[in-house]
Amino acid sequence: MSLKGKTALVTGSTGGIGEAFARAFAEAGCNVVINGFGDAQAIEKLRASLEGKGGKVVYHPADVGKAEEVAVMIRDAQRRFGGIDILVNNAVTRHYAPIEEFPVDKWELALAVNLSAAFHTIRLALPYMKQRNWGRIINMASIHATSVVRDRVDYVTTKHAIVGITRAVALETALTGVTCNAISPGWVLTPHAERQIARKMEDKGCSREMAMRELLEVRQPSRQPVLPSHVAALGIFLCSDAAASITGASLPIDGAWAIS
Ligand code: NAD
């Protein structure tokens, strides 16, 4: 699908699902603003490889957990491209601990990066979208926006809340050409999943295949990992005209995990 001439901003796109989104938007002809942490050389390599696909690609190093840095990133994107047509709130932080041992700073960080960042990007990007009467906002939720796990109070809470902000914004923009949806993946084959696989292989002294089988057994009835490119393809569909009436939804992509 061609989204030629549109500008997409994907937070946390230096790896994983965010990188897949950036790639898909670049391939669809968008100008893309990538963002996230990582090795400067690797980020530049990624930026250059995406720019070869069509539109312009710029990297912005904003820490999206800081409101003032989000504002600078949005302003820079507006200066460079006029405004943001497609916004993907994807950046994430995670910590694992029971609530009574959960470090307060990690909780504050999760609220800032996983939730408040979306509040700030949306409030700052929306006026341009409304002015053009076209816009697509995609918030990355998770299976854990509905299905709760232990010792992940930061993630579970912020993923529930991101669905809340998605619905609130969808209602406020319902009379416009802007849609706002959440995507709720199950277990996606990302660097985060690779770390889980490596840990399982070490704990059990087993093969990669066995580790993946065990991880999938307790999660996805499909017994297949979701691919980052499939999540991005769903995002591209949400940007199409055919998806103009889909707004306020939280769309699962989870091999039947949510219904199991
Ligand atoms: P990841 O951990 O691989 O990447 C996270 C990205 O966010 C990185 O680019 C990182 O640099 C960036 N980031 C972290 N803190 C930041 C900050 N303060 N400012 C700017 N960037 C920051 O993530 P992933 O596993 O690809 O997940 C992407 C999204 O999909 C997340 O919202 C996650 O909750 C959701 N999700 C992932 C899975 C999965 O299986 N991996 C499943 C369900 C939902």
Side-chain angles (χ1 to χ4, degrees), residues 54-251:
K56 291 267 168 230
V57 180
V58 297
Y59 165 67
H60 201 289
D63 175 344
V64 300
K66 297 186 173 140
E68 59 284 5
E69 294 194 25
V70 172
V72 171
M73 177 169 67
I74 303 283
R75 209 168 46 236
D76 284 1
Q78 285 166 341
R79 270 202 204 113
R80 182 80 190 241
F81 299 118
I84 295 157
D85 303 288
I86 300 164
L87 168 65
V88 183
N89 286 303
N90 173 83
V92 70
T93 178
R94 313 169 168 96
H95 188 77
Y96 299 75
I99 188 163
E100 68 274 30
E101 288 161 27
F102 209 94
V104 172
D105 61 331
K106 298 281 187 207
W107 168 255
E108 299 290 350
L109 182 68
L111 291 182
V113 175
N114 301 1
L115 182 59
S116 294
F119 168 77
H120 293 298
T121 55
I122 293 170
R123 79 182 170 80
L124 295 167
L126 195 52
Y128 174 85
M129 294 181 184
K130 278 185 166 171
Q131 192 189 317
R132 309 263 293 202
N133 201 34
W134 195 95
R136 294 289 187 267
I137 301 167
I138 299 169
N139 295 323
M140 287 309 298
S142 162
I143 177 72
H144 299 309
T146 47
S147 167
V148 180
V149 277
R150 285 169 193 281
D151 301 340
R152 297 193 69 183
V153 65
D154 62 337
Y155 196 78
V156 167
T157 305
T158 55
K159 291 304 175 183
H160 274 68
I162 200 82
V163 172
I165 196 172
T166 301
R167 298 172 71 183
V169 171
L171 195 58
E172 287 189 27
T173 53
L175 290 174
T176 75
V178 178
T179 69
C180 181
N181 292 289
I183 294 180
S184 289
W187 196 68
V188 188
L189 206 52
T190 56
H192 174 66
E194 292 293 349
R195 285 191 292 275
Q196 292 177 318
I197 294 168
R199 257 199 317 274
K200 177 75 79 183
M201 286 168 69
E202 204 177 301
D203 289 353
K204 297 261 166 149
C206 66
S207 67
R208 180 181 162 79
E209 289 64 35
M210 179 71 83
M212 278 188 66
R213 200 175 316 139
E214 284 199 12
L215 285 162
L216 282 162
E217 241 166 37
V218 293
R219 291 175 170 81
Q220 267 149 217
S222 66
R223 302 280 191 269
Q224 296 296 325
V226 178
L227 299 181
S229 59
H230 290 178
V231 179
L234 177 55
I236 293 283
F237 170 69
L238 286 173
C239 294
S240 70
D241 290 342
S245 299
I246 303 174
T247 191
S250 174
L251 301 164

Side-chain angles (χ1 to χ4, degrees), residues 22-30 47-57:
R23 195 168 297 286
F25 288 129
E27 280 168 0
C30 294
R47 191 206 62 76
S49 78
L50 297 179
E51 186 152 79
K53 308 224 173 274
K56 291 267 168 230
V57 180

